[in-house]
Amino acid sequence: MFTTDRAFAGFSVDDIEAARHFYGDVLGLDVSDNVMGFLELHLDSGADMLVYAKPNHTPASYTILNFPVRDIDAAVDDLNARGVVTKIYGDDEFPSDSRGIVRATDRGPDIAWFRDPAGNVLAVYEDDELEDADRED
């Protein structure tokens, strides 16, 4: 019978070892190998994502993973210090500051995109609900 209780998302890369280093060492995610030789990213939210090598990999044309943060400026500074480039789009496509932060518009929050070694797009965005949750604690 079809159930949804163990569903997970996945995406491809062209180099598993480069992905392991980027997601585990650079971003600091919990990364493990599964029995099929794929990587599993274990997110603090409780979600898992499957990362698999694909010889004819083409980077996703959309954002595959979003990281909500309390302070976009601090998060981008931290990513840049780790060697992650956050200005990946031209200003004609997404007008941004010199670090790649697109400031809030009627279409969304302050956000910055970056790429993994396989060219997939990820993002950090400022989430005001995180600050509200901190005040409630």
Side-chain angles (χ1 to χ4, degrees), residues 68-126:
V69 297
R70 288 178 182 81
D71 181 339
I72 188 79
D73 292 284
V76 166
D77 288 345
D78 183 35
L79 286 168
N80 292 165
R82 297 174 190 218
V84 176
V85 174
T86 52
K87 185 161 179 73
I88 65 169
Y89 294 117
D91 288 336
D92 56 328
E93 191 170 6
F94 290 107
S96 63
D97 65 19
S98 63
R99 296 176 300 157
I101 300 173
V102 176
R103 299 297 171 175
T105 66
D106 59 346
R107 296 185 321 174
D110 291 356
I111 188 168
W113 291 276
F114 57 100
R115 295 185 189 278
D116 73 3
N120 295 311
V121 178
L122 297 86
V124 290
Y125 70 93
E126 192 162 297

Side-chain angles (χ1 to χ4, degrees), residues 4 10 19 43 50 53 56 58-59 62 75 93:
T4 60
L43 307 176
L50 181 71
N56 59 347
T58 300
Y62 54 88
E93 191 170 6

